[in-house]
Every structure is written in C-alpha cells, then in structure tokens.
Amino acid sequence: MLKLGFNEATCKENSTVEKDLALCEKYGYDYIELRLDMLKEYLRTHTLEELAAFFSKSHLKPFALNSIENINFCTPKEWDELIALFTFGCEVAQKIQNPYIIVVPTVTDAVCTKNEKEVFDDSVKSLNSLADIAKDYGVKLSFEPIGDRRWCCNSVRQALEIVQAVDRDNVGLTVDCINVYMHDKCADVDFISKIPKEKLFVYHINDCEDLPLGILDHCHRIMPGKGAIPVKEVSKAVQAAGYDGPACLELFRPEYWRMEAEDVIKMGAECVRPYL
Ligand code: ZN
C-alpha cells in the first residue's frame, strides 16, 4: 500500500506553501513535496520554526524537496550557484525533518549529445560531491531521470547504473510515471520492479495526454487515470520493488494552474487514491 503525496508543482502558479499545507492536510494527504522556490517566497513572511511547528502538529509530513536541477557538466559558476541552493535545501530539510532532495540531470542542446560514458562519469562525480555535503545534514538525494532525450540521463536503467556505481546509502532514485513513458512509452515497466528496494526513494505519479514522443512535454501531464500512461502497472511495479512510500502527484498543467488550488488538490486526492 502506498501513501498519498502531493508535489507543489501541481499548484505552483495558483497556490502558496501555506495554502498547499492547509489544503493537503484538509484532504487527507500523508506527505508533501515542497518546492525550493515556493519555500523562499514563504520564508519572506514566515520562519522555518513555524514550518516545523506545522508539521509537528499535523498528519501531513514533508517528504522531498524539489529540486536541484542541471547537476551535470556545470561551469564553476553554475556549480557554485547549485551548491548554494543545495545547501539551503539541506538546511531546510534538516530543520523540518524532510528526508529527501530531488536532483535532476542537465537539459541543454550541448549536453544532450554527450555519450553515455561521459554522462555516467559526470553524474557519479556530481552525485558524490552532493552526497558528501548532504550526509552532514542527514539528507538523502533522489536522482530523477527525465524521459525526454533533451535531458542527458533519461531512463531508469541509466539512472540506476549511476546510482549503483555511486553506491552510497544516501543516494537513490525517483521513478516518475511520465518520465518512464517519455522514454519508451513504458515498454519495460517490469524493469522498475527489479530496482533494489533500498535504491527506490521517491515515486511521482501522473498521467499524460496521448501525444507522440518528441511532442509530448511536461505541460501535457494530467490527473492519473485520465491519459495514456499505464499508471496502474507503474504503481504496481514500484510496489513490487518493495516501495511503500507516497505516490506524490506531480503535474505541471497550465489548465490546473487556472483553477482554484482547492479544486485541484481535492481532485488530486480522488484521482490518486485508486492507485495506492
Ligand atoms: Zn518528477
């Protein structure tokens, strides 16, 4: 049995941290994935102590911070900026007892033509550097392959090889339905069930419109059960791997950003529950 989770991207244009917390608690979510940009906004008028106090008296708990992006092939300046954001994330995570930070490979036209060995070597190096910092805060890194070929690491198989080479307790994987679908239309869902339990950290649940690969993008994500992804099979595969954490609803759909956040969060709970 999976738990019910909410990723703040789902209402990032029509809500706030404060509102997401109240609504997720109201509609029975077990976990929330907070966004670092929304947290920075929240901290203009609130403190981390207030956030920690909310979680200490609520059913809702923090799960993963989103996200540290473009971790590959950074210039020294890009790496310094990334480390500053990552360190901020680690400090927040430690204060509010949030276990994971999502880390994402790089997307650029230059980088997406690198060969697999180059991506492997660079990812292992970057993840090790980040894990060195994270261990002092008791935080774990969840590496998320993004299915589109514009991202340099785009399959669960490739990401798992990287994570296994890193071989650290605090480095694992995120499986996200649309990223599995964007890679090969979920041709090998069985592979997910073979991920070692201790390496599967986070599960992002979503569905998407039936569009050709190459056209399909993250704005086409839709509520689970309303699209083309075999969400039931993917959800079963993560459970077969031994994962029993939350299925976190992660959408980037402009249509939902034009709605009331409460309606989206309520509908989200209804659409995700059948897959738990
Ligand atoms: Zn995701």
Side-chain angles (χ1 to χ4, degrees):
M1 179 95 188
L2 302 174
K3 319 281 191 312
L4 181 62
F6 180 78
N7 179 300
E8 282 198 298
T10 305
C11 288
K12 79 182 179 78
E13 305 292 324
N14 53 342
S15 191
T16 59
V17 167
E18 211 172 4
K19 204 167 173 180
D20 283 343
L21 292 174
L23 291 171
C24 286
E25 182 74 0
K26 178 175 174 182
Y27 289 101
Y29 286 79
D30 302 298
Y31 289 96
I32 186 165
E33 291 193 12
L34 296 164
R35 278 182 64 90
L36 291 168
D37 52 355
M38 291 174 75
L39 260 177
K40 285 194 168 173
E41 192 61 34
Y42 171 86
L43 291 172
R44 287 149 78 93
T45 49
H46 300 78
T47 64
L48 279 178
E49 288 69 27
E50 283 174 73
L51 187 58
F54 169 86
F55 286 122
S56 72
K57 64 177 171 45
S58 301
H59 170 77
L60 186 71
K61 299 295 175 214
F63 191 64
L65 298 177
N66 287 247
S67 44
I68 301 297
E69 292 165 13
N70 299 319
I71 69 161
N72 302 97
F73 307 107
C74 294
T75 63
K77 183 173 177 287
E78 287 167 343
W79 187 253
D80 286 349
E81 287 168 7
L82 186 149
I83 292 299
L85 182 64
F86 181 71
T87 306
F88 165 73
C90 286
E91 286 165 0
V92 172
Q94 186 181 43
K95 270 231 165 90
I96 64 171
Q97 297 182 329
N98 169 103
Y100 301 106
I101 297 182
I102 308 282
V103 295
V104 180
T106 292
V107 51
T108 65
D109 289 343
V111 164
C112 67
T113 59
K114 299 269 187 192
N115 69 38
E116 181 144 344
K117 172 84 167 70
E118 290 170 316
V119 173
F120 176 90
D121 290 343
D122 183 79
S123 300
V124 169
K125 182 168 144 267
S126 293
L127 288 172
N128 268 315
S129 302
L130 295 173
D132 281 340
I133 298 171
K135 75 172 181 338
D136 293 337
Y137 296 89
V139 177
K140 297 181 178 188
L141 310 181
S142 191
F143 187 47
E144 179 167 348
I146 308 294
D148 190 288
R149 299 304 192 274
R150 290 174 293 154
W151 275 264
C152 66
C153 177
N154 46 53
S155 73
V156 174
R157 189 268 313 152
Q158 187 185 7
L160 180 60
E161 286 174 16
I162 290 165
V163 159
Q164 287 185 313
V166 171
D167 193 24
R168 298 170 74 137
D169 292 346
N170 68 338
V171 179
L173 280 186
T174 306
V175 168
D176 180 320
C177 291
I178 194 174
N179 287 319
V180 177
Y181 186 82
M182 271 184 160
H183 181 72
D184 60 3
K185 291 209 168 182
C186 298
D188 191 11
V189 172
D190 262 3
F191 185 85
I192 296 168
S193 64
K194 296 176 195 142
I195 299 172
K197 177 182 175 3
E198 68 279 6
K199 289 294 167 206
L200 182 46
F201 285 179
V202 177
Y203 174 42
H204 286 165
I205 193 167
N206 44 63
D207 209 330
C208 68
E209 293 176 46
D210 186 0
L211 289 166
L213 298 185
I215 304 295
L216 180 66
D217 211 340
H218 295 280
C219 62
H220 302 117
R221 291 176 183 227
I222 198 165
M223 290 288 172
K226 296 187 185 297
I229 300 178
V231 182
K232 197 173 187 179
E233 282 67 25
V234 179
S235 299
K236 281 193 171 151
V238 296
Q239 287 174 280
Y243 180 83
D244 59 1
C248 294
L249 178 69
E250 186 191 42
L251 307 169
F252 293 86
R253 189 172 184 81
E255 179 192 349
Y256 298 151
W257 294 336
R258 291 190 291 270
M259 292 167 57
E260 284 297 326
E262 178 154 9
D263 295 338
V264 178
I265 289 172
K266 181 170 181 278
M267 175 167 59
E270 287 161 6
C271 290
V272 172
R273 280 210 170 93
Y275 299 99
L276 302 181

